[in-house]
Amino acid sequence: MAGMSHPSDARSAGSESGWLRTVADEVRSFDRSSTAERVAELLRHRVIEGDLPPGTRLSEEQLVEVLHVSRNTLREAFRLLTHEGLLVHHLHRGVFVPELDEDDLVDLYRVRRTIECDVVRRLEGLDAARMRPLHDDVAAGEDAARRGDWVAVGTANMRFHQHLVALAGSRRLDETAARLLAELRLAFHTVATPQRLHEPYVSRNRGLLDLLAAGEWERAAKELEDYLHDSEAELLSAHRDRSRSTP
Amino acid sequence: MAGMSHPSDARSAGSESGWLRTVADEVRSFDRSSTAERVAELLRHRVIEGDLPPGTRLSEEQLVEVLHVSRNTLREAFRLLTHEGLLVHHLHRGVFVPELDEDDLVDLYRVRRTIECDVVRRLEGLDAARMRPLHDDVAAGEDAARRGDWVAVGTANMRFHQHLVALAGSRRLDETAARLLAELRLAFHTVATPQRLHEPYVSRNRGLLDLLAAGEWERAAKELEDYLHDSEAELLSAHRDRSRSTP
DNA sequence: CTTGAGGGATTGTTGAACAACTCTCTACGT
DNA sequence: ACGTAGAGAGTTGTTCAACAATCCCTCAAG
């Protein structure tokens, strides 16, 4: 997300070979990050990993002290994360790790169904090489499940869906999906039953992948639709359980 | 876009009547805007209206002088618009009005088809009241076409599609659609044939609306798919014409 | 024609200062 | 007891000025 290339960049290198293009991108992502972006990257991980529970306020004063950056730079990092949905900003009150409510969860899954199912339904002429990341993610999920590492299962699952959307080859769909999945991760951290939430989808991911490999895109889309409905129901249920215990 | 409400806001006002909720939102959007947001609003209009042609660099020095705000505040406004896709930021070079290339146009329409068609396809039990904005937009478009005001036709068309997506009742789909349409507007300004670009869709919007009113959602989705394909082809063709004249 | 070294202009970042606002707690009045 | 009005502390919003880092252009040397 930080190293998004730009339209005019693409054009300016358009006449050169793909070889140079790749090098250019590497150089760009190497040193081409502002202080604010590095701070954002740091906080992004903290939030996504669940170190900062939803509802937490991020104090400018404290973070300036700890990170050794100026308030202005820190605030710029806040803005970046706010627009990714990983922080929310209340005027004159500060930035907080968002607390998603049930409406948000329903909304997130609504958009996921729209995007992911459509991507699958429109697939055509997919060669095996482009499915490689999906295979790796499914394998990683199965491996983590055997170890009982449900957090890792959740991570592999997120990556699977991100790579699924990437099959469409659309920059904007990728960005949207990244944001949705990051927000969803926030919700996963608020519930205390990672196994119940992730275990069923290890095998369903495998099933989905088989359908894709077989070129059964319409059936895959239908299965994905049900899959996401089930996942939504599970998450909502878990969320309600937690809400009842902490009113 | 500026007055987006927040999850926790919604929850805290959840038990009150809709009456109070509305008033609260008005108050919030009245004075609850930072200087940066007001600056962003100003620049947003300039960009959307086409006053600043794509490729233009927005100088911090000049704008600080003209707008009477500090550089920090201006930079915050830049950040806001950057994340809406209306400006792009090149490190150590400044912010620019984006120049969309053909890949961008294809990508934009790809996402539009995904979202808009899916919204239409999933509609159900739509009462007439919620279609009111669509009626108004189509009428406004027909009116502007009679006057030969093709810019206004384009505006009405954008609003029609925004309201179409709004039927889904999803905050995140609304935001995504808003960003896509804003970017698309950028592309419209680069081509010099607004009539050819917008005229055909005045009547097609009317046709689409009729299908929706009749509850023919599947047929409407199919028509919208073709509609967007045609619009994309038209825009690409116009874009190529212009590129040939200004290499 | 390519390469590399100035130099001017612009952006990136910092730190401090003050204004504006929220939150909390206390005191007052009903 | 209840609600409210206000003061005070603490935090964020905004501005300003300065310096560091980087880009772009020019021009000279190979």
Side-chain angles (χ1 to χ4, degrees):
Chain A
M1 202 94 161
M4 296 186 304
S5 70
H6 185 262
S8 66
D9 292 344
R11 188 156 48 356
S12 66
S15 58
E16 295 158 8
S17 69
W19 184 87
L20 283 175
R21 182 68 206 287
T22 303
V23 171
D25 278 346
E26 276 183 32
V27 169
R28 194 166 298 127
S29 62
F30 183 69
D31 197 10
R32 275 320 163 105
S33 64
S34 66
T35 309
E37 277 168 349
R38 269 171 290 154
V39 170
E41 178 66 24
L42 204 156
L43 294 176
R44 186 175 8 245
H45 271 281
R46 288 292 190 175
V47 173
I48 286 183
E49 298 303 321
D51 297 337
L52 303 167
T56 308
R57 186 172 73 88
L58 279 69
S59 159
E60 293 188 359
E61 200 176 27
Q62 285 180 22
L63 287 173
V64 162
E65 176 77 16
V66 173
L67 299 173
H68 299 286
V69 297
S70 77
R71 263 182 78 207
N72 285 319
T73 302
L74 178 63
R75 286 161 70 83
E76 204 145 309
F78 282 168
R79 275 252 152 43
L80 288 168
L81 295 174
T82 296
H83 283 277
E84 291 174 29
L86 288 178
L87 295 177
V88 292
H89 189 179
H90 289 200
L91 198 62
H92 290 128
R93 295 213 291 132
V95 300
F96 299 78
V97 181
E99 300 182 273
L100 301 184
D101 61 17
E102 291 186 20
D103 289 343
D104 286 309
L105 298 183
V106 170
D107 196 39
L108 282 170
Y109 273 93
R110 159 76 213 234
V111 183
R112 282 190 74 183
R113 281 195 295 276
T114 295
I115 290 180
E116 296 191 30
C117 294
D118 189 78
V119 165
V120 169
R121 194 173 285 113
R122 291 180 130 97
L123 283 177
E124 51 186 36
L126 184 60
D127 55 10
R130 293 183 50 213
M131 289 185 59
R132 188 57 188 275
L134 294 174
H135 271 104
D136 293 344
D137 295 333
V138 169
E142 290 168 340
D143 201 51
R146 269 191 293 275
R147 296 196 314 271
D149 184 348
W150 303 113
V151 174
V153 172
T155 300
N157 193 22
M158 296 287 104
R159 293 174 62 88
F160 175 75
H161 285 274
Q162 182 73 57
H163 285 138
L164 188 71
V165 173
L167 293 177
S170 160
R171 196 190 92 196
R172 287 169 182 81
L173 281 181
D174 288 348
E175 286 172 24
T176 306
R179 187 195 146 135
L180 292 175
L181 293 174
E183 280 196 88
L184 210 51
R185 216 159 229 230
L186 239 39
F188 286 147
H189 286 304
T190 66
V191 302
T193 58
Q195 175 168 5
R196 204 183 88 191
L197 231 46
H198 297 307
E199 188 176 28
Y201 305 101
V202 173
S203 62
R204 290 186 86 163
N205 283 346
R206 171 65 69 187
L208 205 49
L209 188 55
D210 290 342
L211 284 174
L212 291 180
E216 298 264 16
W217 295 304
E218 190 56 49
R219 278 179 60 195
K222 191 84 184 69
E223 156 62 13
L224 183 53
E225 176 98 20
D226 295 340
Y227 171 131
L228 289 175
H229 267 295
D230 294 343
S231 173
E232 176 183 4
E234 199 72 55
L235 181 57
L236 278 175
S237 158
H239 187 269
R240 266 189 278 264
D241 288 348
R242 202 200 75 101
S243 298
R244 219 175 300 128
S245 64
T246 62
Chain B
M1 201 101 164
M4 296 185 305
S5 68
H6 184 262
S8 64
D9 293 343
R11 187 155 48 5
S12 66
S15 58
E16 296 160 7
S17 69
W19 184 87
L20 283 174
R21 183 70 207 286
T22 304
V23 171
D25 278 346
E26 277 183 31
V27 169
R28 193 165 298 127
S29 62
F30 183 69
D31 198 10
R32 277 315 167 108
S33 64
S34 66
T35 308
E37 278 168 349
R38 269 171 292 158
V39 171
E41 177 65 24
L42 204 156
L43 293 177
R44 186 181 296 120
H45 272 281
R46 288 290 190 177
V47 174
I48 286 183
E49 299 303 321
D51 296 337
L52 303 167
T56 308
R57 186 173 73 89
L58 279 69
S59 159
E60 293 188 1
E61 200 177 26
Q62 285 179 21
L63 287 173
V64 161
E65 177 76 17
V66 173
L67 299 173
H68 299 287
V69 297
S70 78
R71 264 180 79 206
N72 285 319
T73 302
L74 178 63
R75 285 161 70 84
E76 261 180 39
F78 282 167
R79 233 9 133 175
L80 289 169
L81 295 174
T82 296
H83 283 277
E84 291 174 28
L86 289 178
L87 294 178
V88 292
H89 189 179
H90 288 200
L91 197 64
H92 291 128
R93 296 213 291 131
V95 300
F96 299 78
V97 181
E99 299 183 274
L100 301 184
D101 61 16
E102 289 186 21
D103 288 342
D104 287 310
L105 299 183
V106 170
D107 196 39
L108 282 169
Y109 272 94
R110 158 80 214 232
V111 184
R112 282 190 75 184
R113 280 195 295 276
T114 295
I115 291 180
E116 296 192 30
C117 295
D118 188 79
V119 165
V120 168
R121 194 174 285 112
R122 292 181 130 96
L123 283 175
E124 52 185 36
L126 184 60
D127 55 9
R130 292 182 52 212
M131 289 184 57
R132 188 57 188 275
L134 294 173
H135 272 104
D136 295 344
D137 295 333
V138 168
E142 290 167 340
D143 201 50
R146 270 191 293 275
R147 297 197 312 272
D149 184 348
W150 303 112
V151 174
V153 171
T155 301
N157 193 22
M158 295 287 103
R159 292 175 62 87
F160 176 75
H161 286 273
Q162 182 74 57
H163 284 137
L164 189 70
V165 172
L167 293 177
S170 160
R171 197 190 91 197
R172 287 168 182 81
L173 281 180
D174 289 347
E175 286 172 25
T176 306
R179 188 195 147 133
L180 294 175
L181 294 174
E183 281 195 89
L184 211 51
R185 215 160 233 230
L186 240 39
F188 286 147
H189 285 303
T190 66
V191 302
T193 58
Q195 176 168 3
R196 205 183 87 190
L197 231 46
H198 298 306
E199 187 176 29
Y201 305 101
V202 174
S203 61
R204 290 186 87 163
N205 284 346
R206 171 64 70 186
L208 205 49
L209 189 56
D210 290 341
L211 283 174
L212 292 180
E216 298 264 17
W217 296 304
E218 192 55 49
R219 277 179 60 197
K222 192 83 184 66
E223 156 63 12
L224 183 54
E225 176 98 19
D226 296 339
Y227 171 132
L228 289 175
H229 267 295
D230 294 344
S231 173
E232 176 184 3
E234 198 73 54
L235 182 57
L236 278 176
S237 158
H239 187 269
R240 266 190 279 264
D241 288 347
R242 201 200 75 102
S243 298
R244 219 174 300 129
S245 64
T246 62

